[in-house]
Amino acid sequence: MAAKTYNDAEVEERLKTELPTWRLEDGWIRRTYKTHGWKGTLMVINTVGHLAEAAFHHPDITASYAWVEVRLMNHAAKGITDSDFALAKKIEEVVTWQPGKEGGPLSGTPDDPRFAYIKHDKS
C-alpha cells in the first residue's frame, strides 16, 4: 500500500503547528540550519545523516561554510508523507537540542565563540 501524500494546504498546516521553522518549497519540506562555520556544518550534516540512516529515509542535503539545508520528500510516493514529518521532527529535536536550558546535569555548549557551532533560533 502506498504512503498517503499530503497536499500543499495540508503540509502548510502541519508545518505551522508541528514544525514552524520548516517551510514548503518546490514540493519539499525544508529547513536551513545556520552554523558558526565549517565545524558546525559538518556536525549538522553528520547528525542528519545518522538519523536518516537509522530511519532508512534519506533527505537531500545542501551545505556551505556556515549553513546546511535539509530537504525532505518521499521519493517513492512522490510527495510529502508522514515519514517526512517524522524524520523532520527528529532532526529538529536533535540538531536544536540545548541541554543547558533543561536545568539538568548537562551544561550545554558554553557561551563562548571558541565553542559555538550552531546558531539557535531565538526563542
Side-chain angles (χ1 to χ4, degrees):
M1 185 169 147
K4 174 195 179 343
T5 58
Y6 291 90
N7 66 42
D8 287 357
E10 293 170 320
V11 171
E12 293 281 5
E13 184 59 32
R14 285 194 67 179
L15 291 176
K16 186 169 66 171
T17 59
E18 300 172 32
L19 291 158
T21 57
W22 288 67
R23 67 190 186 282
L24 175 65
E25 185 180 307
D26 298 328
W28 301 79
I29 59 172
R30 302 169 183 244
R31 168 74 149 108
T32 300
Y33 294 97
K34 294 180 180 170
T35 69
H36 284 272
W38 191 240
K39 174 180 73 172
T41 295
L42 292 176
M43 291 172 73
V44 171
I45 291 169
N46 286 325
T47 299
V48 171
H50 167 72
L51 295 171
E53 197 57 29
F56 204 66
H57 186 58
H58 303 97
D60 282 18
I61 299 172
T62 304
S64 189
Y65 177 76
W67 59 267
V68 177
E69 183 185 65
V70 179
R71 293 181 307 281
L72 284 161
M73 185 228 341
N74 188 309
H75 299 283
K78 296 181 177 54
I80 308 300
T81 67
D82 287 328
S83 297
D84 301 300
F85 287 107
L87 184 54
K89 286 177 189 176
K90 182 53 72 175
I91 291 168
E92 190 70 9
E93 173 189 334
V94 175
V95 171
T96 64
W97 181 43
Q98 295 181 54
K101 291 189 172 187
E102 295 175 352
L106 297 171
S107 62
T109 306
D111 188 20
D112 180 324
R114 294 176 300 159
F115 304 110
Y117 71 97
I118 189 165
K119 294 183 179 182
H120 293 282
D121 296 330
K122 306 287 187 243
S123 45

